[in-house]
């Protein structure tokens, strides 16, 4: 498909009128870079005999004692907070902290500077984090979510009953001052609407097209009241902060229709399960309004438990739509129907299955020039046991019905330009079971052996046959021009701590073939979410191979949670950062925490080429056009390899949640053997379009949004 056709899918003007040579475009700079962290590139060989890069965890050396966190739900955001050209990252901890801000010093070195930067937030029970430029000054600011304290039996309505509790559970907004420091502007920015409802994840988008980034916060529930063994399953209402353009926000989630609909809770016969408010007679599905916390206040809200939030233009009409992943409820998709001064969303898909939806990944996995969505879930694990008969939000119950699922979703985008333009219909189809995955010879999921599946269940297939997941990303880790998929996650029961065998998962790297299929290369890529793995021998036929001794098994997993991608060393290959929950440890009648390790996986790379774009909206230049970070911009790329193979790719600039976490804003494309890019077409959030022709490979390219045409 030609670029003109690609841009036509957005409902905007063809880019033909904007053709220009690269020399006349607003390109601020191109940085030719090499591997800054040194070390010899290593690779593994797949079953097909083709070399692939592997990753190296540098966290123990680079972060030292700070390579561990104490937090049940640690998030990570990769961003260049000091605008020195390299990627820094921020990691959250529980109350008592501090949260960590790791400044990238180059050469594989990082300095922890949270206190001097003013973002330690030691009084905050921190969770998810997003970094976006709310004031269009060219520097990314930080929104840090918070949640309730463990074991105090107090929900948010009782926050003033304990000293410091309100501070601990209230989210923070830190304004980047542009001098290496941040200012806490939470009170001034939000006033009485500051969120204290147990945030999980946050996302930024310009929902009304005014050039200012707005903030959406997905709230889960206070952990003390989360239960999956009964039908009452409350969450907390989500919040939407619309940017007023003066460092203040107006909360309007309910008015906009995105605070969260009621929970779906069904009996085995399919009938809804309701609870009555005795004082008003009102009925609530799946929510018991009579439930009270230790302070005597009502617990939670009659809505789902949101884990992750994703903004992207799913219908190609030029604005950011919203996807919400709820734990134990339906996945929800909202179409953006907003206009200037009127923020409004419509629920367009209400029949997606009930599941433990947790994390989002967005990418064109089948190379058909549109964006697909992967959503993590519990995975096959409950199918190894008999079905649960008691109605609840646990997918071990819901999976036995047509309206429930434990499997990951792979939502293939089957929409066409004509279908979208005809009314923004929903054209995504789940193809997880039908998507072929070549299994690992070293560590295949146990679900592939039908004897491991309880006879009451049907054996899973494809991507659906794989393990538990929280954070997830699509990335071209090989730079071969197509998208690969990585996720990590595990769930442990109380008292077991990291390594517990309730829904174990050590992460999965599925190498894409560009045609919609995958190969499991987790072990070869050295991406097990496990400490002290020995990758020296990876041939199962080698007499020296010993999976248990080498710790190559989900049994040795950590408690994977947050995940983010970004090129940390500027070598043109995408790196990964993973967080792990600290986990509860019960000993001698007391509760403690086993620290969760951070993994900073550096991609060892290969000889394949690449290009990275850093987009700058005009709001940071002259106060017109798109937001400074160009969040919501769509980028299309066209190149041709030395073997005359066409590479056509598409990505969108996102400031959304993978699960508690946020990727770098950089837009990275692998180019295989191509020495240059034939065309790059950019559709800016403002509607402006721009085309670059004949651009050299192996560079970081900073591109300014063009001035509006007179």
């Amino acid at each position: 498909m030609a670029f003109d056709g690609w841009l036509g899918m957005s409902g905007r003007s063809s880019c033909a009128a904007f053709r220009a040579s690269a020399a006349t475009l607003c390109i601020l700079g191109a940085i030719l870079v090499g591997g800054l962290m040194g070390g010899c590139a290593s690779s593994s060989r797949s079953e097909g005999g083709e070399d692939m890069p592997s990753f190296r965890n540098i966290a123990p050396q680079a972060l030292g004692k700070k390579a561990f966190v104490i937090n049940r739900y640690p998030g990570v955001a990769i961003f260049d907070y000091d605008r020195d050209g390299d990627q820094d990252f921020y990691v959250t901890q529980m109350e008592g902290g501090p949260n960590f801000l790791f400044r990238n010093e180059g050469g594989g070195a990082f300095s922890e500077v949270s206190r001097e930067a003013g973002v330690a937030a030691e009084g905050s029970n921190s969770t998810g984090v997003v970094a976006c430029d709310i004031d269009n000054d060219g520097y990314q600011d930080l929104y840090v979510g918070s949640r309730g304290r463990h074991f105090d039996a107090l929900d948010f309505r009782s926050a003033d009953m304990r000293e410091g509790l309100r501070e601990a559970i209230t989210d923070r907004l830190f304004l980047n001052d542009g001098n290496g420091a941040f200012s806490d502007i939470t009170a001034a920015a939000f006033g009485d609407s500051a969120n204290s409802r147990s945030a999980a994840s946050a996302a930024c988008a310009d929902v009304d097209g005014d050039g200012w980034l707005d903030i959406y916060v997905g709230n889960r529930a206070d952990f003390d009241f989360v239960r999956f063994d009964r039908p009452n399953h409350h969450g907390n209402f989500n919040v939407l902060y619309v940017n007023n353009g003066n460092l203040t926000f107006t909360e309007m989630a309910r008015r906009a229709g995105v605070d969260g609909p009621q929970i779906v809770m069904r009996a085995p016969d399919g009938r809804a399960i309701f609870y009555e408010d005795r004082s008003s007679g009102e009925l609530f599905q799946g929510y018991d309004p009579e439930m009270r916390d230790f302070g005597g206040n009502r617990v939670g809200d009659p809505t789902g438990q949101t884990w992750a939030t994703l903004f992207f233009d799913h219908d190609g009409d030029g604005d950011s739509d919203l996807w919400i992943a709820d734990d134990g409820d339906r996945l929800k998709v909202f179409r953006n129907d907003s206009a200037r001064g009127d923020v409004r969303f419509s629920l367009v898909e209400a029949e997606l299955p009930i599941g433990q939806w947790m994390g989002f990944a967005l990418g064109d996995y089948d190379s058909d020039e549109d964006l697909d969505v992967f959503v993590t879930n519990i995975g096959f694990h409950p199918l190894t046991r008999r079905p649960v008969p008691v109605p609840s939000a646990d997918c071990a119950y819901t999976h036995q019905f047509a309206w429930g699922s434990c499997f990951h979703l792979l939502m293939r985008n089957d929409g066409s330009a004509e279908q979208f333009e005809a009314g923004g219909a929903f054209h995504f189809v789940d193809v997880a079971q039908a998507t072929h995955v070549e299994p690992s010879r070293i560590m295949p999921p146990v679900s592939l052996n039908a004897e491991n599946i309880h006879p009451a269940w049907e054996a899973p297939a494809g991507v659906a046959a794989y393990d538990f997941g929280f954070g997830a990303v699509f990335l071209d880790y090989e730079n071969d021009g197509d998208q690969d998929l990585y996720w990590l996650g595990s769930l442990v029961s109380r008292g077991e701590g990291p390594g517990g065998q309730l829904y174990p998962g050590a992460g999965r790297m599925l190498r894409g073939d560009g045609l919609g299929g995958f190969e499991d290369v987790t072990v070869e890529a050295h991406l097990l979410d496990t400490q002290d793995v020995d990758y020296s021998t990876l041939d199962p036929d080698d007499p020296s191979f010993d999976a248990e001794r080498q710790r190559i098994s989900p049994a040795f997993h950590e408690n994977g949670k947050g995940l983010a991608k970004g090129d940390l060393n500027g070598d043109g290959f995408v790196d990964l950062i993973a967080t792990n929950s600290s986990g509860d440890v019960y000993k001698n009648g007391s509760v403690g925490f086993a620290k969760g390790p951070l993994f900073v996986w550096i991609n060892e790379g290969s000889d394949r080429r690449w290009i990275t774009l850093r987009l700058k909206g005009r709001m940071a230049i002259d106060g017109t056009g798109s937001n400074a970070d160009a969040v919501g911009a769509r980028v299309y790329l066209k190149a041709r390899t030395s073997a005359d193979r066409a590479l056509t790719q598409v990505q969108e600039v996102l400031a959304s949640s993978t699960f508690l976490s946020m990727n770098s804003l950089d837009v990275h494309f692998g180019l295989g053997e191509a020495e240059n890019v034939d065309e790059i077409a950019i559709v800016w959030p403002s509607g402006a379009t721009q085309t670059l022709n004949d651009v050299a490979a192996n560079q970081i390219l900073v591109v300014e949004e063009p001035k509006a045409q007179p």
Side-chain angles (χ1 to χ4, degrees), residues 95-164:
E95 184 182 2
N99 294 343
F100 292 145
L101 176 60
F102 291 105
R103 183 177 65 208
N104 193 336
E105 307 291 1
F110 292 86
S111 298
E112 203 289 295
V113 297
S114 61
R115 287 192 174 98
E116 47 263 56
V119 291
E122 292 173 80
S124 171
N125 219 14
S126 300
T127 52
V129 57
V130 66
C132 51
D133 187 353
I134 63 167
D135 59 348
N136 287 319
D137 68 346
Y139 289 85
Q140 286 171 265
D141 311 294
L142 275 175
Y143 187 95
V144 183
S146 301
R147 60 182 173 85
R149 285 176 179 163
H150 286 177
F151 313 121
D152 65 357
L154 295 175
D155 203 14
F156 68 93
R157 294 183 178 91
S158 299
D160 295 326
M161 293 185 63
R162 292 284 188 276
E163 182 179 356

Side-chain angles (χ1 to χ4, degrees), residues 294-464:
F294 186 74
N297 287 303
R298 177 178 290 189
V299 171
D301 302 307
T303 190
Q305 298 179 8
T306 297
W307 269 134
T309 54
L310 172 66
F311 278 116
F312 81 107
D313 185 6
H314 76 234
D315 53 7
D317 65 351
D319 53 27
S320 294
D321 308 296
L322 176 64
W323 291 45
I324 298 174
D326 281 358
D327 192 358
D329 201 0
R330 292 202 184 279
L331 187 74
K332 301 174 183 70
V333 179
F334 293 88
R335 184 184 64 233
N336 190 341
D337 294 328
S338 302
R340 296 281 181 96
D342 181 22
V343 178
R344 192 179 306 274
F345 287 80
S346 300
L347 186 64
V348 297
E349 180 47 64
E351 295 303 319
L352 289 170
I354 296 170
Q356 259 70 54
W357 309 119
M358 301 179 203
F360 286 117
L362 183 72
D364 182 12
Y365 83 97
D366 52 358
S367 303
D368 66 348
E369 303 162 19
D370 56 27
L371 293 171
D372 314 293
V373 182
F374 177 74
V375 195
T376 53
N377 201 347
I378 288 287
F380 70 83
H381 307 281
L383 277 65
T384 62
R385 309 172 179 95
R386 64 180 179 84
V388 173
V390 179
S392 72
D394 189 341
C395 78
Y397 165 73
T398 61
H399 188 87
Q400 58 194 304
F401 308 107
W403 35 268
S405 177
C406 290
F407 298 151
H408 307 305
L409 287 183
L410 181 56
M411 302 295 287
R412 188 181 66 202
N413 188 341
D414 285 349
S416 67
E418 293 76 17
Q419 289 170 322
F420 286 135
E421 290 170 359
F426 189 80
H427 295 288
F428 288 81
V429 179
D430 177 31
V431 295
Q433 289 250 47
T435 297
H436 174 72
V437 180
E438 185 68 27
S440 168
R441 292 179 61 217
I442 304 171
M443 197 185 76
V446 301
S447 63
L448 296 184
N449 182 350
E451 294 181 357
N452 292 321
I453 301 300
H454 191 279
W457 302 110
E458 183 178 346
V463 177

Side-chain angles (χ1 to χ4, degrees), residues 450-478:
E451 294 181 357
N452 292 321
I453 301 300
H454 191 279
W457 302 110
E458 183 178 346
V463 177
Y466 279 78
D467 327 54
F468 192 106
F470 275 118
V473 295
F474 278 114
L475 73 160
D476 185 358
Y477 97 98
E478 308 163 279

